[in-house]
Amino acid sequence: MASGGGDLSTRMAAEDQNVDNRLFYDTALNLFKRLKVEISEAIKTTFPFLEYLRDNKLITNELYEESKHFYNGRCTLQEVIYIILCDLEKKPDLSYLQAIFKNVIRNKYPGLNHFYKMFKTVIPDKNFFLESDDEEMEEWPNIPLYLEQGTGENANRILPLPAPHSSINNVIIDDSCGEDEEPQPSTSAGKRQSGTVDPANNATSRRVTRKRRAREQTDESVNYENEILPVVCGEMKGMLIKRKLERGARTTCIRSDDGNQFTPREFEIKGGRGKSSNWKQSVRCGGKTLGCLIKDKTLLEPPGQKGREKKENSHKCKICLDGGILYFCNACHEFFHGNCHIPAVETNRSCWTCTFCMIKNSARSQERHKESEVLARPVQPAEQLKCAFLLLTVYCRLESDVHENIPHENYNEMASKCLENLRRLDEIKKKLTGGDYTKVGAFVLAMNPILQNASASQRYDSNLIEEEFKKNFREVFAVEETSQNSSLQ
């Protein structure tokens, strides 16, 4: 009986190991499949990449010659590299990852370092990518990480992963940025004698660990450069809008799966972690805490309340529709974030009038001019203020779409387009306030691509934003009415 029990426990342990190995293999392979385009963009030359793969028998000499031929003929470098990566993914093992992220390769192509870190996170064996300068690929006999096809009891056998000093938590948790929950001891632990094992608790622990690990690893392929990032807290899932978080932690920068908007603290409470009162550690993205992403500069640190800045209130910014630290216009009684307004609000002024009101007051009696004359006009302070007004009207339209006008089923795709346009507007705003535009026409020319992209993404009227910009331009610059075609295209 003892022998039979030992055989059973051995088989159970082997099955658990096989499940773990398959999970790691599938996770790494799926991550590679999703990142082939990005990896191919990071490889800027054929040498030494193709030569290294050929010399280590990861691609055939025929494929190497064909790749060189296509690159010199009708294909771009990135297309050739992508074809090579597609060939590599068909291999039964992951040794090609060791080749792609070899020191000599990463030194040649620094853009691979970002992907190298991502794969290190999902592959549990710390020795998988470990190498010294004199090592060759043949010196990795103990790192199989592949499915070996066979017959009988060896069919579909997964070879073991050597990880003697690592636990499953070490694969998931970034110890430098935060800690995960400690495993709970069995209630029957005190009743067992020293050296015995609680099979029920051991099996349950393995299942819980595997579930948590799978849940965390599903987001390891997150591209942190995206404007919208997937986040989780407990059972809550949502989308973090980086742009909103950059304005402050009191903004509703997280949109949940049901379409509701939350501040990070509210999302933490909703996820059942309210007692911690530390959303930077409670909310995670791609297996990392937001605090960790802020620490390594992946996310910007949200501004806090400092010095003599205005107190927070229940009002919303006219531009971005978010709350926080706002400034009050004495003329129209609207509220603005200091950096949402153009020009930025001077915080030491006790009486302040917004750009909207200044344009409204100055537009009552203006002499009209031809459009060509306006476009050729130098950008003096008066013209700069009018351009700022036009820029603010476009900001208002795009910010409102990100905040509330996009249905949940299309939110990620459409909001990402709006956010990309907003980032482009930020560049124009920086140039406008910095005095880089010497002519009004230069400002309009910079705006045209954004207006066309923004209009193409609108759900109701494909020309709404562009037509609104043209109408406001003619009004604030007092452009003469004409039957000729406008040059605002």
Side-chain angles (χ1 to χ4, degrees):
M1 293 298 292
S3 175
D7 292 341
L8 177 61
S9 61
T10 300
R11 288 197 299 271
M12 291 178 61
E15 290 174 0
D16 287 336
Q17 181 68 57
N18 287 346
V19 172
D20 291 343
N21 292 343
R22 183 180 294 274
L23 175 63
F24 289 127
Y25 175 87
D26 291 342
T27 302
L29 179 60
N30 290 332
L31 179 59
F32 181 74
K33 289 180 177 180
R34 289 194 294 270
L35 293 177
K36 291 199 301 290
V37 171
E38 290 84 351
I39 292 174
S40 65
E41 291 290 336
I43 299 172
K44 305 298 184 183
T45 59
T46 59
F47 183 85
F49 184 71
L50 295 184
E51 285 71 15
Y52 191 87
L53 295 179
R54 180 195 60 180
D55 295 346
N56 286 277
K57 297 181 173 56
L58 290 169
I59 62 173
T60 64
N61 192 61
E62 290 75 15
L63 181 56
Y64 169 80
E65 295 295 342
E66 288 179 3
S67 300
K68 300 284 283 188
H69 172 73
F70 279 114
Y71 176 48
N72 293 328
R74 59 193 180 200
C75 290
T76 66
L77 172 62
Q78 277 63 47
E79 289 172 333
V80 169
I81 299 300
Y82 183 83
I83 293 172
I84 294 293
L85 298 181
C86 289
D87 183 74
L88 293 176
E89 75 177 21
K90 299 175 184 178
K91 294 187 175 299
D93 59 64
L94 299 179
S95 60
Y96 56 85
L97 291 180
Q98 296 168 333
I100 292 173
F101 299 119
K102 195 85 168 177
N103 283 344
V104 65
I105 300 298
R106 287 189 290 113
N107 290 339
K108 178 66 176 180
Y109 313 111
L112 290 175
N113 287 319
H114 170 68
F115 306 107
Y116 171 63
K117 294 178 181 178
M118 295 173 65
F119 279 98
K120 284 188 67 176
T121 308
V122 301
I123 294 180
D125 183 15
K126 297 179 180 180
N127 295 321
F128 185 76
F129 290 114
L130 185 64
E131 63 175 350
S132 61
D133 292 337
D134 59 347
E135 282 179 328
E136 297 295 335
M137 291 301 296
E138 290 80 3
E139 295 178 0
W140 295 86
N142 296 322
I143 316 295
L145 196 61
Y146 64 88
L147 304 178
E148 180 180 293
Q149 301 297 325
T151 59
E153 65 179 6
N154 291 327
N156 295 323
R157 181 169 61 91
I158 304 176
L159 297 184
L161 285 166
H165 303 297
S166 63
S167 68
I168 212 69
N169 289 335
N170 289 336
V171 182
I172 306 302
I173 304 304
D174 187 341
D175 294 330
S176 64
C177 300
E179 297 180 354
D180 202 17
E181 297 176 357
E182 293 293 332
Q184 297 298 319
S186 169
T187 55
S188 60
K191 301 178 181 179
R192 298 196 308 271
Q193 296 180 355
S194 175
T196 63
V197 177
D198 182 351
N201 183 67
N202 195 34
T204 301
S205 177
R206 286 198 301 268
R207 287 195 298 269
V208 172
T209 300
R210 284 200 296 268
K211 288 181 180 179
R212 184 172 72 241
R213 177 184 61 208
R215 183 173 66 250
E216 296 286 357
Q217 284 194 339
T218 55
D219 289 336
E220 293 296 347
S221 60
V222 170
N223 183 350
Y224 293 108
E225 295 180 0
N226 288 343
E227 294 291 343
I228 300 178
L229 300 177
V231 292
V232 296
C233 182
E235 297 301 320
M236 284 291 291
K237 296 181 180 180
M239 294 175 283
L240 171 68
I241 303 173
K242 293 197 299 185
R243 183 182 185 84
K244 288 179 173 287
L245 180 63
E246 291 167 9
R247 298 193 183 110
R250 301 296 178 89
T251 61
T252 52
C253 57
I254 299 178
R255 182 182 174 109
S256 65
D257 284 349
D258 57 10
N260 291 318
Q261 305 276 351
F262 298 95
T263 66
R265 172 59 180 157
E266 292 170 345
F267 190 73
E268 178 186 42
I269 295 173
K270 196 73 173 178
R273 303 289 177 85
K275 292 183 179 180
S276 69
S277 296
N278 188 358
W279 59 266
K280 291 182 180 180
Q281 293 300 318
S282 300
V283 183
R284 291 178 174 270
C285 174
K288 296 183 178 181
T289 66
L290 295 192
C292 179
L293 297 178
I294 291 172
K295 182 179 179 180
D296 64 17
K297 308 299 183 184
T298 301
L299 295 177
L300 295 181
E301 178 76 46
Q305 185 172 340
K306 301 177 182 179
R308 299 181 179 179
E309 288 182 334
K310 301 291 183 180
K311 294 182 179 180
E312 297 186 23
N313 51 57
S314 59
H315 296 284
K316 303 295 182 183
C317 173
K318 178 180 174 69
I319 307 300
C320 71
L321 305 180
D322 260 319
I325 301 170
L326 303 172
Y327 297 86
F328 176 75
C329 173
N330 288 293
C332 65
H333 301 167
E334 294 280 4
F335 290 83
F336 300 83
H337 287 118
N339 290 327
C340 282
H341 189 268
I342 308 174
V345 179
E346 297 179 14
T347 59
N348 57 350
R349 295 179 58 179
S350 58
C351 184
W352 174 74
T353 303
C354 71
T355 294
F356 291 95
C357 293
M358 294 179 69
I359 291 296
K360 181 179 179 181
N361 294 333
S362 64
R364 293 173 180 173
S365 59
Q366 292 190 80
E367 181 182 353
R368 295 197 169 272
H369 300 274
K370 294 180 179 180
E371 184 179 293
S372 59
E373 295 174 347
V374 172
L375 294 174
R377 188 181 300 173
V379 180
Q380 302 294 338
E383 286 72 24
Q384 188 181 45
L385 184 67
K386 293 174 182 178
C387 291
F389 168 80
L390 294 172
L391 195 53
L392 285 172
T393 58
V394 179
Y395 265 116
C396 287
R397 175 70 66 175
L398 293 181
E399 290 279 11
S400 66
D401 277 345
V402 173
H403 193 84
E404 56 188 12
N405 290 341
I406 300 176
H408 179 71
E409 58 271 16
N410 298 326
Y411 186 81
N412 201 323
E413 177 183 358
M414 297 185 68
S416 294
K417 292 179 180 178
C418 288
L419 290 165
E420 289 174 5
N421 285 324
L422 284 167
R423 292 295 186 189
R424 296 188 182 103
L425 284 184
D426 291 342
E427 292 297 320
I428 295 178
K429 171 183 173 180
K430 182 179 179 180
K431 292 181 178 180
L432 178 64
T433 56
D436 291 354
Y437 298 120
T438 58
K439 304 288 185 181
V440 173
F443 165 76
V444 174
L445 187 64
M447 289 292 297
N448 279 338
I450 297 178
L451 296 172
Q452 293 166 5
N453 289 337
S455 295
S457 66
Q458 293 301 298
R459 294 182 297 122
Y460 303 115
D461 187 345
S462 61
N463 296 316
L464 181 61
I465 293 182
E466 190 173 5
E467 291 302 322
E468 186 178 55
F469 180 86
K470 293 178 180 179
K471 176 178 177 292
N472 289 332
F473 176 85
R474 295 188 181 97
E475 288 180 356
V476 298
F477 281 102
V479 177
E480 289 180 349
E481 295 293 338
T482 177
S483 59
Q484 298 180 353
N485 291 333
S486 171
S487 60
L488 292 175
Q489 297 178 357

